[in-house]
Amino acid sequence: MQRFFDSIYRVGNEARAALQEIIRERTYSKNEIIQEIGSRCRTVYMVKSGAARIFYYKEGNDITEHFAFENEVIVRAESLFTGKPTAKGIQAIDDTVMVVIDSVKLFQLYDEYHDLERLFRLIFEREYVNTLKRIENFQFKSARERYLELVDSPNLIQKVPLKYIASYLGITQVSLSRIRSSLQD
Amino acid sequence: MQRFFDSIYRVGNEARAALQEIIRERTYSKNEIIQEIGSRCRTVYMVKSGAARIFYYKEGNDITEHFAFENEVIVRAESLFTGKPTAKGIQAIDDTVMVVIDSVKLFQLYDEYHDLERLFRLIFEREYVNTLKRIENFQFKSARERYLELVDSPNLIQKVPLKYIASYLGITQVSLSRIRSSLQD
DNA sequence: TTGATTTTTTATCATTTGTTAATTTTTTTC
DNA sequence: GAAAAAAATTAACAAATGATAAAAAATCAA
């Protein structure tokens, strides 16, 4: 995990030690709710092993907004960055080990360690860029095209139930099933 | 504009002066290309008056990815944050006055002025949150629902040609026309 | 202003996706 | 390992959106 951070931005030794102080590790079992719907996001998670998703309910339907796999950061950004509660939750898709960072403490450290603010700025900029790519996918790609792109990420296709993938793609499970069968496999 | 910055985060006097040094203003006429498709984004714009859009071509079709109006920041983030060229461009929708910030210089100032890094971190975090909201709109809202949400932003509906709005919503212009007429107006 | 160009609307038909319900397959639990 | 529960598929029909073409309306430029 330190390697992951370093690959983005190497912080000084003091900053590294300070960050280490507020990091802990936690294990979640498959399907466990990591953060409840309706709560505030005051935690930055990084998936050490396993997988997790951000989800919410729309008219009774469970919708997956985001997946995170090994070495990926997962936060409910619309809450983390605004301080407001969010209608989204985080759930373990698999037995999952998380690196857990208290965001309140982290943001305090930003004042003291410019380095840390930069590291996490860069981390979240990446997330932002990924989100923009997702917008492109929704704008004028068919569900079939969107699915075909996902098929290339083995992590996702292997680990994640199709019902989660369907809502992630913005279609029903039935629709996804139809698309898959039309790909003669 | 200083007021806009201050509303997000008040930087110290030195930082403010340093930022002022790298800011200039520029006027674009309606439809003028502000940044060419295929170029790198090395500029942060803020709309002082007028409006602009980010657009690209998909299979020959002009697609609007983003709108920006008064006091909004507009950047091609997937390039600004990665250094890579982007297939997207920026165009003035109206006669537009832009506040123009050289991002290379800005990022250099980050090293010297922690304050400035924070200010722009907060600015782009907001953009990130907006982008997430847009994902929600694409996931399981119908084109009609997405349009109805837009109708509430008078800026957009008044200033922007419907063809731009259509692609922004991820539908064809014909479809948008149909939706509008079904709203008996 | 007027003619040309661009934008928007309308109509028709094709395709994609949604909805509902039933069935099959897979996974979980005891 | 068998029963129960959950997930995935299939089918049939409905609704939304796309594609194309033509007409109407609005905007632009000389």
Side-chain angles (χ1 to χ4, degrees):
Chain A
M1 184 214 56
Q2 193 55 60
R3 211 172 307 142
F4 167 75
F5 286 149
D6 284 349
S7 78
I8 292 176
Y9 184 71
R10 289 184 78 91
V11 303
N13 287 336
E14 280 187 41
R16 174 175 306 192
L19 176 60
Q20 204 54 54
E21 280 291 311
I22 63 166
I23 286 185
R24 61 198 180 88
E25 220 169 277
R26 200 178 147 186
T27 299
Y28 297 90
S29 50
K30 184 170 178 174
N31 295 328
E32 189 173 350
I33 298 297
I34 297 172
Q35 297 216 311
E36 293 283 353
I37 280 180
S39 65
R40 285 184 169 82
C41 181
R42 296 203 188 91
T43 317
V44 176
Y45 293 100
M46 213 183 83
V47 180
K48 199 163 180 186
S49 66
R53 70 182 185 120
I54 295 178
F55 72 104
Y56 60 97
Y57 293 99
K58 152 125 182 151
E59 288 154 25
N61 297 309
D62 176 318
I63 297 178
T64 296
E65 177 173 278
H66 184 76
F67 294 114
F69 302 98
E70 245 178 61
N71 283 322
E72 288 179 354
V73 160
I74 180 168
V75 296
R76 296 175 298 167
E78 73 289 346
S79 175
L80 182 70
F81 295 143
T82 65
K84 294 181 191 156
T86 170
K88 296 168 192 167
I90 302 183
Q91 183 181 29
I93 293 175
D94 229 333
D95 292 347
T96 297
V97 180
M98 286 288 194
V99 173
V100 181
I101 303 172
D102 180 317
S103 68
V104 177
K105 289 179 188 160
L106 177 66
F107 293 165
Q108 283 165 359
L109 288 186
Y110 282 1
D111 290 333
E112 206 172 336
Y113 301 100
H114 185 164
D115 263 14
L116 284 182
E117 181 157 5
R118 170 147 320 165
L119 170 62
F120 282 87
R121 169 176 72 80
L122 293 171
I123 287 172
F124 291 121
E125 277 177 4
R126 282 184 168 208
E127 296 299 311
Y128 179 17
V129 170
N130 289 339
T131 304
L132 283 170
K133 287 204 192 108
R134 215 152 121 56
I135 296 259
E136 273 179 65
N137 279 338
F138 275 115
Q139 251 182 332
F140 294 103
K141 288 195 184 166
S142 65
R144 186 201 203 85
E145 289 177 279
R146 298 202 296 277
Y147 175 70
L148 286 173
E149 282 198 18
L150 277 198
V151 171
D152 290 335
S153 42
N155 242 339
L156 197 147
I157 293 296
Q158 282 167 22
K159 285 191 185 175
V160 177
L162 288 171
K163 62 172 179 170
Y164 292 165
I165 293 177
S167 70
Y168 181 77
L169 293 172
I171 56 178
T172 62
Q173 198 180 337
V174 173
S175 230
L176 177 57
S177 227
R178 191 162 32 199
I179 287 165
R180 282 161 54 81
S181 75
S182 78
L183 301 170
Q184 66 254 33
D185 53 358
Chain B
M1 184 210 59
Q2 193 55 60
R3 211 172 306 144
F4 167 75
F5 286 150
D6 283 349
S7 78
I8 292 176
Y9 184 70
R10 289 184 79 91
V11 304
N13 287 336
E14 280 186 41
R16 174 175 308 191
L19 177 59
Q20 205 53 54
E21 279 293 310
I22 63 166
I23 285 185
R24 60 199 179 89
E25 220 169 278
R26 201 179 146 186
T27 298
Y28 297 90
S29 50
K30 183 170 179 175
N31 294 328
E32 188 174 350
I33 299 298
I34 296 173
Q35 298 216 309
E36 293 283 352
I37 281 181
S39 64
R40 285 183 169 82
C41 181
R42 294 203 189 92
T43 316
V44 176
Y45 293 100
M46 213 183 84
V47 179
K48 198 164 180 188
S49 67
R53 69 182 186 119
I54 296 178
F55 72 103
Y56 59 98
Y57 293 100
K58 152 123 182 154
E59 289 155 24
N61 298 309
D62 176 316
I63 296 177
T64 296
E65 177 173 278
H66 184 76
F67 294 114
F69 302 99
E70 244 178 59
N71 282 323
E72 288 178 353
V73 160
I74 179 168
V75 296
R76 296 175 299 166
E78 74 289 345
S79 174
L80 181 71
F81 295 143
T82 64
K84 293 180 192 157
T86 169
K88 294 168 193 166
I90 301 183
Q91 183 181 29
I93 293 174
D94 229 333
D95 291 348
T96 296
V97 180
M98 286 288 195
V99 174
V100 181
I101 303 173
D102 181 318
S103 68
V104 177
K105 289 178 188 160
L106 177 67
F107 293 165
Q108 283 166 359
L109 288 185
Y110 282 1
D111 290 332
E112 207 172 336
Y113 301 100
H114 185 164
D115 263 13
L116 284 182
E117 181 156 5
R118 169 143 327 161
L119 171 61
F120 281 89
R121 168 176 73 80
L122 294 170
I123 287 172
F124 290 120
E125 277 176 5
R126 282 184 166 208
E127 296 299 312
Y128 179 16
V129 171
N130 289 338
T131 304
L132 283 171
K133 288 205 193 107
R134 215 150 121 57
I135 296 259
E136 273 179 66
N137 279 337
F138 274 116
Q139 251 182 331
F140 294 105
K141 287 195 184 164
S142 64
R144 185 201 204 85
E145 290 177 279
R146 298 201 297 276
Y147 175 69
L148 285 173
E149 282 199 18
L150 278 198
V151 171
D152 288 334
S153 42
N155 241 339
L156 197 147
I157 293 296
Q158 281 168 21
K159 284 191 186 175
V160 178
L162 289 170
K163 62 173 180 170
Y164 293 165
I165 293 177
S167 69
Y168 180 77
L169 292 172
I171 57 178
T172 61
Q173 198 180 337
V174 173
S175 230
L176 177 56
S177 226
R178 191 160 34 198
I179 286 166
R180 282 161 54 82
S181 76
S182 79
L183 301 171
Q184 66 255 31
D185 53 0

